[in-house]
Amino acid sequence: MFTDCPVEVDVVVHSENMLKAQVSFRGDTVVHNKTELRTRPVRADGQKEISQQLQTTLPRALYLQNMENLKESVVESGCRDEAPSPGVLKTISWRQRMKDRKHKNETLSLQMMVEEKRDEPDEVIQKVILHPKGVMLWSKKSIDIFHQRCKEDIIYLDATGSIVKKSKQHGTSPFYIYELVVRNPNKGSSPFPAATYVTCDHTTSSVLYFLCAFQTDHAKQYGQKNISPVMIICDGSMVLMQAISLVFCQTNLNALLQSYYQILTGKGTAEDFSRPILHRCLSHIMKNAKSLCKKHAPKNYKLAMHIFGLLTTASSTVEFDEMLLSCTVIFSSPCSSENVEKHFNNIQNWLTTIGESVVDESSIVPEDLE
């Protein structure tokens, strides 16, 4: 076609089924844009082989592995036949999952999987809710890990809506993923989700049902005693706090807060001290504080944020009252005065001493508190 082109091309087809060919050039130097990438469509046999690899490897990880295995000359040529993009790999994985479904309807497919359970330790699908749609996931092994961690460590309950895409149907609620998370027993590993709940019903009764169902299976394995965690952290959502109070603390949220107040004021009973500690996540508290400070103290935003952070360091009600009094005097006084300056100095002193440990850690002797 190009009689004046100094480059000759040889193409050797190795597989007609896979349409794999080797291209070699002779003659002058071939020049092309190295940022230009080209990939042939992945054929049926290739998709089958890739889908098997994706059963144990994430699409992004498989893509990086394939890129590492490419020869340098192939990488420079821009050919990516042997390293499909992460998007292509995700599509292949999704198609394979669609083929493996027991029913074309995903909810009925999940329900069939629940009905075919064999009570094995690794089975994770526990309950499927048809309306509103939801699915609960945990296993006997995850309950074992939860039981071990909850007796001596912190439990986290959180929800996120950024994983499952929102339905395009008008009037439908978005799907959230609620997870009970513990520290991974293996040091350096990611936090471990002991139980997961995917649902579009974001009410106290919905989360309450999830936690009750999990604790019921927990009690079947370990009995009714000593199955409550020592401390639970959540983002401060009223839905989560109310559900946690009713399931893990065996009381409503108002009564639980009253128990904590009794402890703070030195009037706590044995029953008050036996309840798990419900703790709000500090990062979420500071996020809420950021919005409040920008709205109500825009001119003194940095000072307001520092003071709000100071309040979170109080270790007693007396210390908290002193900090709160100084804050009130500073922000409610219409003009500067000797009293305002006094309380401003108090705030400065507290801020400068934060983080300075007064305890010699080398003198601490470990104690067995059990």
Side-chain angles (χ1 to χ4, degrees):
M1 293 178 64
F2 303 98
T3 56
D4 59 341
C5 180
V7 180
E8 295 181 0
V9 180
D10 291 331
V11 179
V12 180
V13 179
H14 294 289
S15 172
E16 293 185 0
N17 293 331
M18 300 290 291
L19 296 180
K20 296 293 183 181
Q22 180 179 351
V23 181
S24 58
F25 299 90
R26 296 193 313 275
D28 204 350
T29 305
V30 178
V31 179
H32 71 92
N33 186 355
K34 289 189 176 182
T35 61
E36 182 180 358
L37 305 179
R38 288 289 181 267
T39 307
R40 294 183 64 85
V42 182
R43 302 297 175 179
D45 291 343
Q47 290 190 23
K48 186 176 180 180
E49 181 181 346
I50 290 174
S51 63
Q52 292 176 349
Q53 294 175 316
L54 289 171
Q55 291 180 359
T56 56
T57 309
L58 293 174
R60 180 70 179 175
L62 181 59
Y63 167 73
L64 295 175
Q65 290 177 14
N66 292 336
M67 286 297 296
E68 288 181 359
N69 295 331
L70 291 181
K71 296 180 179 179
E72 185 177 351
S73 59
V74 176
V75 174
E76 291 180 352
S77 71
C79 178
R80 295 294 182 269
D81 289 353
E82 300 297 332
S85 68
V88 172
L89 296 177
K90 287 181 181 179
T91 302
I92 293 174
S93 178
W94 175 78
R95 286 177 179 171
Q96 186 60 39
R97 290 197 302 271
M98 291 288 289
K99 292 179 181 178
D100 293 340
R101 282 184 180 176
K102 296 181 178 296
H103 193 279
K104 62 180 181 180
N105 182 288
E106 58 185 11
T107 304
L108 294 178
S109 177
L110 291 170
Q111 187 63 42
M112 292 171 67
M113 292 175 67
V114 172
E115 293 172 355
E116 295 174 5
K117 281 174 54 179
R118 300 179 180 178
D119 200 28
E120 296 179 354
D122 292 331
E123 291 175 332
V124 295
I125 299 181
Q126 301 299 328
K127 296 181 184 297
V128 176
I129 305 169
L130 300 181
H131 184 77
K133 289 184 178 180
V135 58
M136 298 183 186
L137 311 169
W138 60 79
S139 66
K140 289 185 176 180
K141 285 188 176 181
S142 70
I143 290 177
D144 289 337
I145 296 174
F146 178 86
H147 185 76
Q148 295 168 7
R149 306 304 292 176
C150 77
K151 294 185 293 183
E152 58 185 22
D153 207 347
I154 300 170
I155 305 300
Y156 303 87
L157 177 60
D158 198 10
T160 179
S162 59
I163 298 178
V164 181
K165 289 184 178 180
K166 186 177 180 180
S167 174
K168 295 181 180 180
Q169 296 180 2
H170 180 69
T172 57
S173 299
F175 277 89
Y176 278 18
I177 297 180
Y178 297 84
E179 285 193 325
L180 267 178
V181 181
V182 299
R183 295 184 207 267
N184 200 304
N186 300 320
K187 188 175 181 181
S189 299
S190 301
F192 178 79
T196 302
Y197 180 36
V198 184
T199 181
C200 58
D201 184 13
H202 315 302
T203 61
T204 300
S205 59
S206 176
V207 180
L208 182 65
Y209 178 54
F210 162 56
L211 296 179
C212 284
F214 176 76
Q215 281 294 80
T216 299
D217 284 2
H218 187 185
K220 286 180 182 178
Q221 285 186 223
Y222 289 96
Q224 294 289 344
K225 294 183 178 179
N226 301 321
I227 61 171
S228 292
V230 293
M231 185 173 179
I232 312 105
I233 292 181
C234 71
D235 60 7
S237 161
M238 290 301 295
V239 168
L240 297 186
M241 291 196 295
Q242 287 172 348
I244 290 170
S245 300
L246 292 169
V247 176
F248 294 118
C249 305
Q250 301 296 310
T251 187
N252 60 65
L253 183 58
N254 289 334
L256 181 64
L257 295 176
Q258 184 63 33
S259 293
Y260 293 159
Y261 182 77
Q262 293 292 99
I263 294 173
L264 284 173
T265 55
K267 301 176 183 177
T269 63
E271 184 180 3
D272 294 329
F273 280 97
S274 67
R275 299 190 190 282
I277 301 170
L278 173 56
H279 202 290
R280 277 201 65 187
C281 172
L282 182 57
S283 63
H284 284 86
I285 291 176
M286 296 308 296
K287 181 181 179 181
N288 295 341
K290 180 179 179 180
S291 301
L292 290 172
C293 292
K294 281 189 173 181
K295 180 178 179 180
H296 298 289
K299 295 182 179 179
N300 299 295
Y301 168 71
K302 289 187 177 181
L303 174 62
M305 284 297 293
H306 276 95
I307 291 178
F308 208 102
L310 175 65
L311 294 174
T312 65
T313 66
S315 58
S316 66
T317 53
V318 174
E319 186 179 4
F320 184 82
D321 285 341
E322 291 176 353
M323 292 179 179
L324 194 59
L325 174 61
S326 295
C327 295
T328 304
V329 171
I330 293 172
F331 284 99
S332 62
S333 299
C335 60
S336 181
S337 65
E338 185 177 340
N339 191 37
V340 172
E341 186 175 350
K342 170 191 169 184
H343 285 285
F344 186 76
N345 289 333
N346 290 342
I347 293 292
Q348 280 188 319
N349 291 334
W350 280 317
L351 289 172
T352 54
T353 55
I354 289 177
E356 294 181 2
S357 177
V358 296
V359 179
D360 182 7
E361 296 184 358
S362 62
S363 64
I364 297 177
V365 178
E367 297 182 31
D368 186 0
L369 301 178
E370 296 185 352

